[in-house]
Amino acid sequence: MNISKDLTMGELLRAAQDNGVYEAVVNVLLAAGMHCIGCPSHQFETLEEACYVHGIDSADLVSKLEAAVG
């Protein structure tokens, strides 16, 4: 699974589901304090934009997501 800060949160979650790593991705997001799973704007907001809103370094979160999905 290719993870990029340019993916929308919706794309990220759909790709995670399609690749059987949804739970791992959701766990990383929740641990980072991103509860975007239930947010209506997550369909259109990029991972980078969501990180900005939550004060999270997007490169760090991408690294954590990549590690979680193997």
Side-chain angles (χ1 to χ4, degrees), residues 12-70:
L12 172 64
L13 293 171
R14 280 189 299 279
Q17 189 170 27
D18 291 346
N19 287 280
V21 293
Y22 184 82
E23 187 175 339
V25 168
V26 168
N27 286 339
V28 171
L29 294 174
L30 292 176
M34 297 179 75
H35 300 237
C36 304
I37 298 109
C39 178
S41 67
H42 88 273
Q43 291 296 321
F44 311 105
E45 190 173 53
T46 66
L47 182 58
E48 183 175 40
E49 292 167 336
C51 285
Y52 176 78
V53 168
H54 292 281
I56 297 168
D57 180 84
S58 61
D60 182 52
L61 186 61
V62 167
S63 293
K64 289 177 181 176
L65 288 165
E66 288 174 338
V69 302

